Amino acid sequence: MPKGWPMVGEQDWRAAEIEALEEAGVEGTISRKPIGEFEYAKIFNDGTSVLVKATVYPLYVDKVKRRWKERHERKRHWFSPKGAAKALKQPELEDLLLDLKDDPKKNKSIRELLP
């Protein structure tokens, strides 16, 4: 799940779109409406941490790049919503993903992205 910081001069949904490209090498159509939020502890290289609230925007992926900005720092892996929830250690995000597992089209933000 690509995550980032708010970007000066960018709407949050646009920042999420940029992070998806930089961290996962994916492009597509992003919803301007979030599907939820979750909190997590962002741990820095020096060992300190800060509690961060992340807003989740769905992205309909049209293009998966072979080469992207952070490809040497990250490993891309595709999951079903249920598989992603199982792999995560963030209960709020797990709940958000599990809500999508049966029928993602029930969520208006996702439904509007689908062709």
Side-chain angles (χ1 to χ4, degrees), residues 12-101:
D12 287 346
W13 62 267
R14 176 66 179 128
E17 184 178 42
I18 292 167
E19 289 296 324
L21 177 59
E22 290 180 355
E23 294 186 6
V26 296
E27 295 180 308
T29 305
I30 194 163
S31 175
R32 295 178 184 205
K33 300 173 192 163
I35 58 172
E37 298 177 328
F38 68 99
E39 291 184 341
Y40 71 100
K42 172 80 173 173
I43 302 170
F44 297 99
N45 292 337
D46 65 2
T48 61
S49 67
V50 63
L51 188 61
V52 176
K53 182 181 277 190
T55 304
V56 179
Y57 294 88
L59 173 77
Y60 183 83
V61 176
D62 296 317
K63 186 175 185 179
V64 178
K65 295 182 161 268
R66 287 187 201 196
R67 297 172 54 159
W68 70 94
K69 185 176 180 180
E70 297 183 17
R71 69 186 177 278
H72 299 297
E73 302 166 44
R74 303 183 186 280
K75 187 173 181 180
R76 179 172 51 207
H77 189 86
W78 294 97
F79 291 94
S80 66
K82 184 178 179 181
K86 187 175 181 181
L88 296 168
K89 304 291 185 242
Q90 297 157 331
E92 290 176 73
L93 181 54
E94 290 176 43
D95 292 343
L96 191 150
L97 291 168
L98 288 173
D99 285 344
L100 300 174
K101 76 176 176 65

